[in-house]
Amino acid sequence: AIPNEFLCDLLNSYLKILVFLLFFSIASSCLLNQTPQLRRLLRTQCAMPKDALGTPIVAQFSSCGRITEKWLAEFATSCSHHTETRLPDVQLVWPSTEFVRDCIDGYEAGGSLCMPRRNLDAVVRSRLHHYRPSHPAHEHIPPHIKCYTRVGRRFGHLPWYCLTSANLSSAAWGALQKNQTQLFVRHFELGVLFLPQLAGRPHFYHAQGHYNVSINTSSENNNAGRPIGCERDSDSGSAAAAVCFSLPYCYPPPVYQGDEEPWDFETPRFEPDVHGRAFVRQ
């Protein structure tokens, strides 16, 4: 078990709470909320490792609203660093029909993976990547987690990691209106933004296949109750332990190829799932 004092320290030191409320925000105040809130935190409290500059934003979610190029550019702007001269690409991680058909609940799991057929348009399809669980124990488990991050090319640095209830939609993250003077948010959401600088480290690491951040609670260790690492800080030469996060999907996520079919919850499917059932939405 993780001691309560560590959890308090974690909340005070490692992350920022992102509160997403149903509201209109007028004029300059919109810069402090929702997607602009994320932008402000990343630009004031996040030091981007060099190997993470220009890397794509990886968005993994369990429901997708109607996405436009304009809104996606606003989202990418909020997730970018102020030193970047061009907007990063956005990779959308989403389960395939084959994954849903073969998962533990079969097609029934697809009812909570909310992708209307009309939302699988060119904007979304051109950015789709497969959701494939990173841990063997989750191989046939349908995802309901929502997380957003970027991963460094060389060392697997995570400059930041956002775990949230917000799916990929303007309703959840907010959309700028009236010549970017008004922000409109339709949903109540809550998220946490993990920033390595708040943990006293230059960056987090991506640990493929691990469950979570490693925690050392031994009273014999000088760092009792603090996260311990999965590897040393490779590029700096420091022997200090690193804080490692696991992504719920294999990284890098594979791109959808020609005839591979992303899941939507409206198209009838008559090929039997693992329970021998077809899927016809009522």
Side-chain angles (χ1 to χ4, degrees), residues 223-243:
N223 294 319
R226 306 293 296 180
I228 61 174
C230 56
E231 58 182 288
R232 68 174 60 235
D233 192 343
S234 305
D235 57 330
S236 67
S238 170
V243 179

Side-chain angles (χ1 to χ4, degrees), residues 92 163 182 234 250:
L92 308 180
L163 185 64
Q182 175 175 283
S234 305
C250 292

Side-chain angles (χ1 to χ4, degrees), residues 35-142:
T35 313
Q37 178 191 18
L38 177 63
R39 180 189 313 176
R40 177 177 59 86
L41 289 171
L42 292 181
R43 296 192 176 192
T44 60
Q45 301 194 41
C46 177
M48 186 74 74
K50 289 182 179 179
D51 72 318
L53 290 171
T55 58
I57 300 153
V58 188
Q60 184 272 318
F61 45 90
S62 61
S63 179
C64 184
R66 195 63 182 267
I67 303 301
T68 65
E69 290 285 2
K70 178 178 179 296
W71 184 85
L72 206 59
E74 292 175 2
F75 181 77
T77 299
S78 293
C79 296
S80 65
H81 196 256
H82 65 87
T83 60
E84 294 180 293
T85 57
R86 55 175 295 180
L87 285 181
D89 295 332
V90 181
Q91 296 180 348
L92 308 180
V93 180
W94 184 255
S96 65
T97 296
E98 180 183 11
F99 177 87
V100 174
R101 183 170 56 242
D102 294 341
C103 75
I104 193 169
D105 296 319
Y107 288 132
E108 283 191 2
S112 59
L113 294 169
C114 303
M115 175 74 81
R117 186 166 46 203
R118 68 182 180 277
N119 290 358
L120 280 171
D121 57 13
V123 175
V124 171
R125 280 185 175 273
S126 64
R127 296 172 169 87
L128 279 181
H129 292 66
H130 282 276
Y131 174 85
R132 291 177 180 165
S134 59
H135 198 284
H138 302 159
E139 184 177 0
H140 298 294
I141 305 299

